[in-house]
Amino acid sequence: MLDNLTQRLTGVIKTLRGQARLTESNIQDALREVRMALLEADVALPVVKEFTAHVKEAALGQEVIGNLNPGQALIGVVHRELTKLMGEQNVGLNLATTPPAVILMAGLQGAGKTTSSGKLAKMLQTQQKKKVLLVSCDVYRPAAIEQLRTLAQQLEVDFFPSDLSQKPVDIALAAHDYAKRHYHDVLIVDTAGRLAIDAEMMDEIKQLHAKLNPVETLFVVDAMTGQDAVNTAKAFGDALPLTGVILTKLDGDARGGAALSVRNVTGKPIKFVGVSEKMTGLEAFHPERMASRVLGMGDVLSLIEEAHREVDQAEAAKLAEKVKKGEGFDLNDFKMQIVQMRKMGGVAGLLDKLPAQLSQAAAGSKVDDKQIDRIEGIINSMTPAERAKPELLKASRKRRIAAGAGVQVMHVNQLLNQFEQTQKMMKMFSKGGMAKMMRGMKGMLPGMGR
Amino acid sequence: MLSFLKKSAADTEPAGQSGWLGRLKSGLARTGGQLSSLFAGGGKIDDELYEDLETVLITSDVGMDATSLLMADLRRHVREQHLTDAAQLKEALGACLLRLLQPLAQPLDASGHKPFVIMLCGVNGAGKTTSIGKLAKYFQNQGKSVLLAAGDTFRAAAREQLMTWGERNNVTVIAQQSGDAAAVIFDAVQAAQARGIDIVLADTAGRLATQAHLMEEIRKVKRVIAKALPDAPHEVLLVLDANTGQNALSQTKAFDEALGVTGLVLTKLDGTAKGGIVAAIARAHPIPVRFIGVGEGLDDLRPFVAEEFVAALLELNDD
């Protein structure tokens, strides 16, 4: 079921070799596969139809450039169009108004409104230094108010208490008044989950909106939502002037086609994605990454970008120069690689960006940041001389290092093995041959070689 | 013409509850109208009609695999029965869908053990805690004593949510200030044994199947339950949100692999989502559907009856 588009297309592509242009006939089968892949990713059918028609139009007559075959060229078009449809660039919150700026949260039951409210408050408070007040208008679900109170306490964000006997509109207005008097920059109003077909509840949130006049009205939607995402999004979009969308639970293995459906139906940008159970797990939405995910292509492109951005170019150049001159690749260099990897978000961050199948395989091997920490700890316990000349390391030095890093001698040996493999790889690299290096890559991460 | 569906629907619907099937249907039909209009005109069976039917299945989250299977089944049926009228196609599709779903309709029998321990699991926001409330009511209505274990020790105020509910409905809730889900549920099972309780409902924290450490933790919860009472838990229910798309299939596989899921609860069918994902599950990884949630009221959790579900999904009782 998780066949990715690239895989799906390989069969079709074989028949397309050696053709210079994308034509109606040579992309028909490929387009069918695109349609299937999108449906498997839970993009709603009407959206899929519209989208494939659009892709066809964009692709027809396009030249197949360079070494690409028509199938690959088509994937390129699909990816580009998908990104375009997702909104091209990230759009942040617009909080420019007389404080308090009100953010109203809306969505179905269980979409993740309360958790997202907490995460958003935390984000605004730490990243933008805003003074935030949280209030819950959910007087229906038992302990919903208590849930937000607990979250606010954990996050050290101000919380406006409310109770079940009050009307949601009264609670919201009282909170607004309180926020004004206490100079809060932002008031986040959490609401009860509601079905779009529940007229009474939809009226209630319309009223909330009318009284509060929020600067942001965010529709919270679960990334695992299926075909019905279009109906729900339409109903909420019709009832409320939405300003954006929060896509939650993206750390699961859902392909998240709902993102495309919701974006298409509401026409509003997806502003944030929930990517972790942790309270810091709210990130800006990247349309390009989402396009890759929906297509099952992984986030290889932004991985490359990130590598460019985060890796210290000067350090990398120094290393390359050293390797080229034939000077040894030593443990200092090894440590530097680890530090750079950490800059790119650690192992977990890297895995997130790989295509689904690859990252699952890699996750199975249980490489984690703890192991990376341990490696760094061991290297830190070595003297500069030892780092530069690992062959100095004999039994007694290893014992000292193990004791210093709080590990077993076994772990020091493991590290040295990995280092030797990497060293060999570097030698291959200096003798030319990227292909050889890729083969050697397996040994680079602890546990990956299995 | 729809005799097989009408009869069974009437049989399984006790007096005084006529509202719920209507509600399920109206919920399911909300997006629809599309299907009824397809067949209304009669007319010929052609490719266009087949495609429209395929659309109905896909937009109900039935998934590509099960949709292809059902469509092939339907075409064979039409050929063999020499159907020519578009109006007959609806019943034929109903029959195909019923054949696929019937094996999943196995009601939960909680009489074999005392206490009968039911453990609930699922992703975040699927409706586990709410379902526990409804299940407690369901068993109470059958004259059984119920005890709840507040095993969601992770989400803020999950314990309070269950305790509030227990207070309102006079059901004992076993909870601890903080700590370990396994320990809470262990205590609950022991308390149930001591007090001669019939049913233990154990809540767990929502988790995504990709969170390896949390999946490991819930395996442990199950092992610890077995320490309190051998062969418990007697039922492991996976709670699925009817709004979920194809990911429900990965959820089913992952939780089944970790825990040996013995039954499914399909929640939130009172919205516009149709829950066609059940058909995808029936095709790829069949596990009995024990209950469906069709409303916000406490009585709105019902045993799954395939005929009713098919009737509601295809709007069969409308004509």
Side-chain angles (χ1 to χ4, degrees):
Chain A
M1 167 180 137
L2 280 171
D3 290 346
N4 69 43
L5 186 65
T6 325
Q7 266 177 4
R8 277 179 171 282
L9 286 177
T10 31
V12 188
I13 285 166
K14 281 188 188 131
T15 61
L16 292 181
R17 289 251 160 83
Q19 297 182 27
R21 268 172 205 284
L22 297 176
T23 64
E24 179 127 21
S25 61
N26 70 15
I27 61 169
Q28 200 177 21
D29 288 348
L31 271 180
R32 209 186 111 74
E33 294 299 325
V34 170
R35 179 175 176 267
M36 296 281 275
L38 292 176
L39 286 171
E40 286 289 353
D42 290 321
V43 180
L45 185 63
V47 180
V48 172
K49 282 185 174 163
E50 199 187 310
F51 178 72
T52 41
H54 198 60
V55 166
K56 193 169 156 185
E57 214 171 281
L60 282 184
Q62 184 144 339
E63 273 183 55
V64 178
I65 313 156
N67 304 338
L68 295 182
N69 61 42
Q72 289 167 331
L74 185 68
I75 292 182
V77 175
V78 169
H79 189 257
R80 209 160 52 233
E81 292 298 321
L82 206 51
T83 308
K84 217 188 270 177
L85 198 62
M86 294 264 194
E88 305 227 50
Q89 54 184 342
N90 174 257
V91 181
L93 290 177
N94 168 26
L95 298 176
T97 182
T98 324
V102 179
I103 301 176
L104 181 65
M105 312 287 274
L108 293 180
Q109 289 94 342
K113 286 175 299 302
T114 306
T115 305
S116 297
S117 299
K119 287 177 176 178
L120 193 58
K122 179 78 185 165
M123 182 187 232
L124 290 174
Q125 192 161 291
T126 51
Q127 291 179 13
Q128 299 189 24
K129 307 289 174 224
K130 300 277 186 197
K131 190 177 175 195
V132 183
L133 182 67
L134 277 167
V135 64
S136 169
C137 294
D138 186 353
V139 296
Y140 308 98
R141 184 168 59 98
I145 297 172
E146 187 58 33
Q147 184 183 350
L148 193 65
R149 185 207 309 277
T150 313
L151 279 180
Q153 206 172 7
Q154 285 168 8
L155 299 170
E156 295 172 346
V157 174
D158 292 344
F159 174 78
F160 185 81
S162 48
D163 72 72
L164 302 183
S165 63
Q166 292 171 286
K167 283 198 186 120
V169 172
D170 296 342
I171 295 172
L173 286 179
H176 188 262
D177 189 47
Y178 180 91
K180 212 163 31 190
R181 282 189 287 115
H182 291 80
Y183 307 106
H184 284 92
D185 301 310
V186 180
L187 169 66
I188 299 178
V189 182
D190 185 21
T191 63
R194 63 201 72 221
L195 292 170
I197 50 170
D198 189 333
E200 214 174 293
M201 289 294 283
M202 289 308 277
D203 270 348
E204 180 201 279
I205 200 158
K206 275 193 236 176
Q207 254 191 57
L208 273 173
H209 185 277
K211 299 272 183 190
L212 286 168
N213 192 22
V215 60
E216 290 277 358
T217 305
L218 301 177
F219 177 55
V220 182
V221 64
D222 185 331
M224 297 181 279
T225 310
Q227 295 282 326
D228 197 52
V230 274
N231 301 318
T232 313
K234 183 163 179 357
F236 274 90
D238 287 349
L240 297 169
L242 302 175
T243 58
V245 175
I246 297 182
L247 191 66
T248 62
K249 305 180 209 174
L250 207 58
D251 46 337
D253 54 0
R255 294 271 285 281
L260 196 61
S261 308
V262 171
R263 160 80 201 173
N264 189 271
V265 169
T266 62
K268 300 299 181 232
I270 297 169
K271 297 198 166 175
F272 299 101
V273 292
V275 293
S276 153
E277 55 188 332
K278 293 196 193 91
M279 275 301 130
T280 48
L282 192 72
E283 288 184 356
F285 173 72
H286 292 283
E288 207 265 353
R289 287 186 196 173
M290 195 63 213
S292 300
R293 178 175 177 140
V294 169
L295 290 176
M297 281 165 56
D299 198 7
V300 180
L301 292 174
S302 46
L303 182 63
I304 295 166
E305 268 173 37
E306 199 156 336
H308 268 286
R309 196 170 57 240
E310 299 292 344
V311 169
D312 191 323
Q313 295 298 326
E315 290 276 329
K318 217 164 79 190
L319 177 62
E321 189 59 27
K322 200 169 169 186
V323 171
K324 216 161 70 188
K325 274 197 216 146
E327 284 173 28
F329 171 79
D330 63 22
L331 278 164
N332 282 314
D333 303 321
F334 191 59
K335 189 187 156 199
M336 195 182 78
Q337 280 194 331
I338 289 167
V339 171
Q340 300 214 332
M341 184 154 146
R342 195 195 301 271
K343 277 192 200 159
M344 298 198 308
V347 176
L350 286 175
L351 288 184
D352 273 355
K353 297 187 182 70
L354 293 172
Q357 296 91 331
L358 258 180
S359 73
Q360 261 162 18
S365 70
K366 299 202 172 151
V367 189
D368 58 35
D369 289 321
K370 262 194 198 144
Q371 280 166 289
I372 302 294
D373 286 344
R374 183 191 283 163
I375 292 175
E376 207 179 347
I378 295 173
I379 298 180
N380 282 341
S381 298
M382 297 176 184
T383 65
E386 285 165 348
R387 287 183 216 172
K389 279 192 158 187
E391 53 273 24
L392 286 176
L393 295 173
K394 297 287 183 274
S396 74
R397 284 182 191 252
K398 282 181 191 170
R399 272 200 303 277
R400 191 205 79 234
I401 292 163
V407 298
Q408 305 292 314
V409 173
M410 178 183 86
H411 296 128
V412 179
N413 285 329
Q414 270 174 8
L415 164 82
L416 290 173
N417 278 335
Q418 280 158 17
F419 166 69
E420 269 169 38
Q421 278 169 354
T422 313
Q423 201 178 25
K424 265 186 214 153
M425 212 171 78
M426 288 298 164
K427 275 184 189 146
M428 280 186 238
F429 182 62
S430 61
K431 283 176 194 152
M434 196 64 183
K436 270 191 202 161
M437 180 166 136
M438 292 310 281
R439 255 177 274 139
M441 198 86 147
K442 275 204 308 201
M444 201 168 145
L445 282 175
M448 283 280 267
R450 251 176 284 157
Chain B
M1 122 185 161
L2 300 169
S3 50
F4 79 99
L5 289 160
K6 285 200 168 134
K7 185 165 154 286
S8 61
D11 282 350
T12 48
E13 199 174 326
Q17 301 189 345
S18 56
W20 92 268
L21 182 58
R23 210 167 333 147
L24 171 59
K25 238 175 42 185
S26 65
L28 287 174
R30 211 81 57 156
T31 46
Q34 46 177 354
L35 202 56
S36 304
S37 60
L38 281 182
F39 298 100
K44 274 204 315 226
I45 296 176
D46 54 17
D47 277 353
E48 202 180 328
L49 187 58
Y50 276 119
E51 203 190 311
D52 289 342
L53 273 181
E54 196 186 52
T55 301
V56 171
L57 294 177
I58 291 173
T59 53
S60 308
D61 292 317
V62 168
M64 297 313 293
D65 193 28
T67 298
S68 313
L69 175 89
L70 284 167
M71 293 312 290
D73 214 15
L74 181 62
R75 282 174 193 270
R76 196 175 56 239
H77 199 82
V78 168
R79 228 175 18 249
E80 283 169 6
Q81 307 283 318
H82 305 291
L83 303 182
T84 50
D85 187 27
Q88 293 171 301
L89 213 55
K90 193 175 190 173
E91 190 186 9
L93 181 62
C96 295
L97 195 53
L98 186 61
R99 211 160 33 232
L100 184 64
L101 293 180
Q102 192 68 70
L104 301 191
Q106 299 169 33
L108 177 61
D109 176 15
S111 58
H113 302 268
K114 186 172 178 172
F116 190 88
V117 180
I118 302 175
M119 172 182 176
L120 282 90
C121 61
V123 298
N124 316 63
K128 284 174 298 303
T129 309
T130 305
S131 293
I132 284 197
K134 292 179 179 175
L135 278 170
K137 186 79 178 172
Y138 172 85
F139 287 117
Q140 278 184 321
N141 286 346
Q142 296 183 349
K144 298 192 164 165
S145 54
V146 181
L147 186 139
L148 308 184
D152 183 352
T153 50
F154 181 80
R155 198 194 61 187
R159 189 170 53 102
E160 283 77 2
Q161 185 180 349
L162 207 60
M163 283 169 64
T164 311
W165 192 91
E167 254 163 52
R168 280 189 209 164
N169 295 278
N170 250 332
V171 179
T172 314
V173 179
I174 303 287
Q176 287 174 2
Q177 259 308 324
S178 65
D180 185 39
V184 176
I185 300 174
F186 183 90
D187 281 358
V189 173
Q190 287 198 325
Q193 281 172 290
R195 298 179 199 182
I197 299 278
D198 296 317
I199 309 276
V200 176
L201 291 164
D203 197 8
T204 61
R207 66 203 73 218
L208 299 176
T210 45
Q211 295 162 329
H213 61 295
L214 293 179
M215 293 307 278
E216 193 50 54
E217 187 217 55
I218 202 168
R219 279 195 195 98
K220 178 185 147 197
V221 169
K222 192 186 173 195
R223 285 197 302 270
V224 170
I225 293 177
K227 278 183 191 159
L229 182 65
D231 39 279
H234 309 100
E235 178 83 1
V236 178
L237 288 177
L238 171 65
V239 181
L240 293 174
D241 182 337
N243 291 292
T244 313
Q246 299 310 303
N247 191 249
L249 208 51
S250 338
Q251 289 171 28
T252 307
K253 285 179 188 163
F255 278 96
D256 189 32
E257 203 176 288
L259 299 172
V261 173
T262 53
L264 304 175
V265 179
L266 190 65
T267 62
K268 307 186 201 173
L269 266 174
D270 47 338
T272 45
K274 298 194 169 183
I277 186 64
V278 172
I281 290 171
R283 164 87 176 122
H285 199 99
I287 290 177
V289 181
R290 303 293 197 196
F291 297 96
I292 58 174
V294 294
E296 300 203 293
L298 273 181
D299 296 320
D300 290 331
L301 194 73
R302 304 292 165 130
F304 172 77
V305 179
E307 289 86 351
E308 291 173 356
F309 191 80
V310 170
L313 197 123
L314 298 182
E315 302 155 42
L316 281 172
N317 288 1
D318 283 355
D319 333 293

